[in-house]
Amino acid sequence: MKRILSIALVFIMMGSFKTRLYNPSWIRINLVGYRTQAPKVAVWCSKENEQIQQFQIVDILSGKPVYTGKKVESFGAYGPFKAVTRLDFSDYTIEGRYVIVAGGVSSPEFTIASDVYRKGADFCLRYMRQQRSGFNPFLKDSCHTKDGYVLYGSSKGIKDSSYVYVSGGWHDASDYLQYATTSANATYHLLMAYRDFPDVFNDIYQANGLAGSNKIPDVLDEAKWGLDWLLKMHPRKDWMFNQVGDDRDHAGMRIPKEDSFYGKGIQRPVYFINGKPQQRGKFLNQTTGGASTAGKFASAFALGERQFKAIAPSFAKMLREKSLTAVQFGEAMPGVAQTVSVKSPYIYAEGNWMDDMELAYAALYARDKDPQQLAKGMKLASKEPLTPWMEKDTAAHYQWYPFINIGHYEWMRQLKGEAKKKLLSYYKKGIEQVWSRAQKNGFYRGVPFIWCSNNLTVSFAIQCFWYRIESGDTKYQPLEQACIDWLFGVNPWGTSMVYGYPAWGDTPIDPHSAFTQLKKYHIDGGLVDGPVYTNIYNNLIGIKLYNSDSYAAFQSNLAVYHDDFGDYSTNEPTMDGTASLIYLLAALAK
């Protein structure tokens, strides 16, 4: 059922509270649940200028109130609401199943337990397997097996239109393009998730993604799928490719097979990184180098070597070699490599590269302990102390990618004293920038509503988590938790932003996906893009809602979110966002 039925009518019949027949108020809760010892906040919101002074928690089994909360913090208007109030029940730690009652309305049911996130990371791995190109275990079929033909390779003696074998990897989103930047970042997050939280993951799938144990945790199987493809995209020390396919892919929705949209039979174009601007329809992109991609390659290879050294020594040796040639490629070509578009104006407009090379040196230093790697990495860290969107509160599409400086964290893990304090100060300053905006509204929302806002939200929650763990400073934990809660229902729309998670909650059912639209397949675990500023939405090309808006009451001049196939800007799942979420869910499961 799309909407969870409130149990308010049950309580009316029981006489537990008085209510009006119509009440323009709602209580937003984390649909997945609340960890026993973590901060616990729900948000009461109203379309009238009302105030509440207290709330009650009601036990589902007994139907009786078990807690009266008076920690309420009132705010003014936000989005579609005239009044928003935070309801803090962090001191209630008894495990069970509950609803919150306040201001004449009740919340959906929720759980308090220590293990509410226990299966979340593995659940989201389902989406990663479904995104596989080459052999797709969900479809039990293969696609894009003939990729592809080279473009822009003449500077390195690769004749354009010559063949290079790069089948494999993951489709980027609901389209079937494949980007080295998002794939490398996703791979790194999966490798980190296992390194930092190895006990969270199961082994119930084989390396090819089909059911069956292979004595390797499923998250490492998925990471290796990414690494195998990245190796193909960096086949020689002076060759590196940035993407497979382009926006000609968008000619029509279909279940992935062999595409013939590109003028070369069923091969797709493979774009070589030459450090120069490349075709963008009537425009050229603003490529200035290759370090933004090369740094991501090098870090994934270096961490991959450490994770697979005991499992697959020969594979690890290859990763070691490629980590060195990838970082050399980046050093020889400082600057950013943006993606290519042929028909539409939308690209991944990456605008920074120093964070990527910083991470590369951090990952290499963890293995080599080379003082030059330390010096280079820390110099780059000082040149980009803050991920720019945190300070600027805006960005072009994927302009500051990844949306978190992972290199700072990897250096923190290895360094002590003043060097670590400096890195922590970078993270703290970025968090303070977001907090300065967030503390002004009842949802503690300080992340901008740019395209893929959910990806930014996940990344920022991870940064808050890393800062808290490495510094011991818990000041920003409420903000960290507010970002987590936002993803799972504490938002104006009252919905989880992850397909099918939790199974009993309000989650996307009509995403921008051929799998769901054409075949009614479930895309379990996919994190959708998330809300965008209304002025962005109103100026996007080709958006058309196909159904009545089930969230119409909660749209506003601030931001919109639509659970509708036609809205590719807010309701399309992404592979890299989901990989980042897997790391966050693994952290929450501990």
Side-chain angles (χ1 to χ4, degrees):
M1 183 177 292
K2 173 61 182 173
R3 301 283 172 257
I4 295 179
L5 294 176
S6 170
I7 66 164
L9 292 178
V10 175
F11 282 97
I12 291 171
M13 291 186 289
M14 293 173 59
S16 297
F17 65 85
K18 295 180 181 179
T19 186
R20 293 166 286 179
L21 291 178
Y22 169 72
N23 193 326
S25 304
W26 297 264
I27 299 174
R28 302 311 197 195
I29 54 97
N30 185 322
L31 296 164
V32 175
Y34 296 88
R35 292 172 295 163
T36 310
Q37 301 301 324
K40 305 177 197 69
V41 173
V43 171
W44 180 88
C45 36
S46 178
K47 292 202 170 187
E48 295 182 355
N49 287 314
E50 297 187 60
Q51 299 293 327
I52 59 172
Q53 303 302 319
Q54 64 181 31
F55 61 96
Q56 288 187 320
I57 296 178
V58 178
D59 181 80
I60 290 296
L61 291 179
S62 68
K64 296 179 180 180
V66 294
Y67 176 90
T68 298
K70 297 185 178 181
K71 291 183 179 179
V72 298
E73 184 180 10
S74 297
F75 292 81
Y78 184 80
F81 306 115
K82 291 184 178 180
V84 177
T85 300
R86 293 178 65 79
L87 314 177
D88 191 330
F89 54 105
S90 300
D91 57 343
Y92 187 76
T93 59
I94 300 175
E95 296 192 355
R97 188 81 173 157
Y98 306 98
V99 295
I100 292 175
V101 177
V105 294
S106 71
S107 74
E109 297 180 16
F110 65 91
T111 298
I112 296 177
S114 60
D115 62 350
V116 289
Y117 293 101
R118 182 171 58 89
K119 297 181 180 180
D122 270 330
F123 182 81
C124 290
L125 277 171
R126 296 185 191 181
Y127 182 72
M128 299 300 293
R129 283 188 290 271
Q130 193 177 65
Q131 288 296 105
R132 289 189 184 190
S133 187
F135 177 71
N136 186 292
F138 180 85
L139 298 172
K140 295 182 175 60
D141 198 358
S142 295
C143 65
H144 302 129
T145 60
K146 303 298 182 181
D147 293 331
Y149 63 93
V150 176
L151 293 179
Y152 293 101
S154 58
S155 63
K156 291 296 182 180
I158 314 174
K159 184 179 179 182
D160 277 0
S161 295
S162 61
Y163 182 74
V164 58
Y165 180 66
V166 293
S167 181
W170 299 293
H171 301 131
D172 193 60
S174 291
D175 53 47
Y176 303 129
L177 281 74
Q178 296 179 241
Y179 297 119
T181 52
T182 54
S183 295
N185 182 49
T187 301
Y188 199 88
H189 274 84
L190 297 178
L191 291 166
M192 275 198 308
Y194 180 72
R195 180 197 66 190
D196 294 354
F197 314 106
D199 297 334
V200 168
F201 297 95
N202 292 315
D203 170 27
I204 55 178
Y205 290 92
Q206 303 172 62
N208 63 5
L210 297 176
S213 172
N214 65 342
K215 309 302 181 184
I216 297 174
D218 296 333
V219 69
L220 283 188
D221 283 330
E222 207 57 39
K224 187 175 184 299
W225 189 264
L227 288 167
D228 286 339
W229 185 70
L230 293 174
L231 289 170
K232 294 175 183 177
M233 296 288 280
H234 181 43
R236 287 178 26 174
K237 66 179 182 179
D238 57 344
W239 289 12
M240 188 173 289
F241 301 100
N242 206 41
Q243 76 183 67
V244 177
D246 53 49
D247 64 319
R248 285 173 284 183
D249 168 279
H250 301 164
M253 279 285 180
R254 74 276 181 209
I255 299 301
K257 287 292 287 184
E258 311 293 9
D259 292 330
S260 56
F261 298 162
Y262 297 96
K264 187 80 171 173
I266 54 176
Q267 294 180 24
R268 296 188 296 173
V270 185
Y271 287 87
F272 186 85
I273 299 175
N274 63 3
K276 299 177 182 179
Q278 296 178 356
Q279 183 178 8
R280 186 184 167 194
K282 297 178 181 179
F283 317 96
L284 291 176
N285 65 21
Q286 297 180 38
T287 291
T288 60
S292 59
T293 299
K296 295 182 182 74
F297 272 72
S299 56
F301 291 149
L303 183 54
E305 182 212 346
R306 286 155 54 200
Q307 297 297 85
F308 283 96
K309 192 170 185 178
I311 301 172
S314 60
F315 180 65
K317 182 179 179 182
M318 186 187 311
L319 293 174
R320 179 185 182 88
E321 295 169 355
K322 293 295 185 177
S323 69
L324 295 172
T325 57
V327 80
Q328 291 165 2
F329 190 99
E331 290 172 337
M333 200 179 291
V336 296
Q338 297 187 349
T339 63
V340 175
S341 180
V342 175
K343 294 184 175 182
S344 74
Y346 306 131
I347 63 168
Y348 286 4
E350 185 134 20
N352 58 336
W353 59 271
M354 288 181 283
D355 59 330
D356 300 304
M357 291 298 287
E358 176 194 345
L359 176 58
Y361 290 125
L364 291 169
Y365 182 77
R367 179 190 70 201
D368 301 337
K369 297 296 185 282
D370 183 339
Q372 290 189 9
Q373 294 165 349
L374 174 60
K376 290 177 180 179
M378 293 304 290
K379 181 178 180 180
L380 290 171
S382 68
K383 287 182 177 293
E384 191 177 302
L386 274 68
T387 301
W389 72 260
M390 296 179 187
E391 187 171 26
K392 297 177 182 295
D393 192 26
T394 187
H397 190 43
Y398 276 60
Q399 183 177 6
W400 314 120
Y401 186 75
F403 306 117
I404 179 176
N405 190 316
I406 307 172
H408 289 353
Y409 169 62
E410 296 293 30
W411 284 121
M412 284 179 209
R413 288 169 49 88
Q414 302 178 70
L415 303 178
K416 298 179 180 179
E418 292 303 314
K420 182 170 183 176
K421 288 181 181 178
K422 177 63 71 174
L423 292 160
L424 284 167
S425 75
Y426 296 159
Y427 265 5
K428 182 176 182 178
K429 187 174 181 181
I431 294 169
E432 282 281 1
Q433 292 287 335
V434 177
W435 176 231
S436 68
R437 302 186 292 268
Q439 61 187 314
K440 297 176 182 178
N441 67 79
F443 288 95
Y444 279 6
R445 183 66 181 177
V447 176
F449 293 112
I450 57 177
W451 210 341
C452 292
S453 65
N454 281 343
N455 295 15
L456 272 70
T457 303
V458 172
S459 292
F460 183 71
I462 293 173
Q463 175 162 324
C464 290
F465 168 73
W466 283 342
Y467 173 78
R468 175 168 58 87
I469 295 301
E470 293 297 325
S471 70
D473 181 359
T474 60
K475 176 182 177 181
Y476 306 106
Q477 191 173 9
L479 177 59
E480 172 190 337
Q481 187 64 49
C483 290
I484 296 165
D485 292 341
W486 175 278
L487 294 167
F488 301 122
V490 186
N491 54 61
W493 303 269
T495 184
S496 168
M497 297 290 173
V498 183
Y499 187 101
Y501 185 71
W504 55 84
D506 183 315
T507 78
I509 61 170
D510 189 23
H512 184 76
S513 166
F515 277 67
T516 55
Q517 184 72 6
L518 300 180
K519 296 291 187 180
K520 308 303 179 186
Y521 295 147
H522 290 189
I523 53 171
D524 290 346
L527 175 71
V528 298
D529 286 334
V532 298
Y533 287 118
T534 304
N535 62 348
I536 291 179
Y537 174 80
N538 288 338
N539 288 285
L540 291 173
I541 299 170
I543 286 183
K544 174 188 175 182
L545 300 186
Y546 289 85
N547 300 293
S548 60
D549 184 3
S550 55
Y551 296 117
F554 310 117
Q555 313 298 4
S556 70
N557 290 331
L558 174 64
V560 299
Y561 166 75
H562 302 104
D563 184 14
D564 190 295
F565 168 77
D567 186 356
Y568 61 80
S569 70
T570 71
N571 207 38
E572 181 176 10
T574 63
M575 171 274 299
D576 62 306
T578 302
S580 298
L581 181 62
I582 288 168
Y583 181 93
L584 180 60
L585 288 169
L588 292 170
K590 294 300 291 182

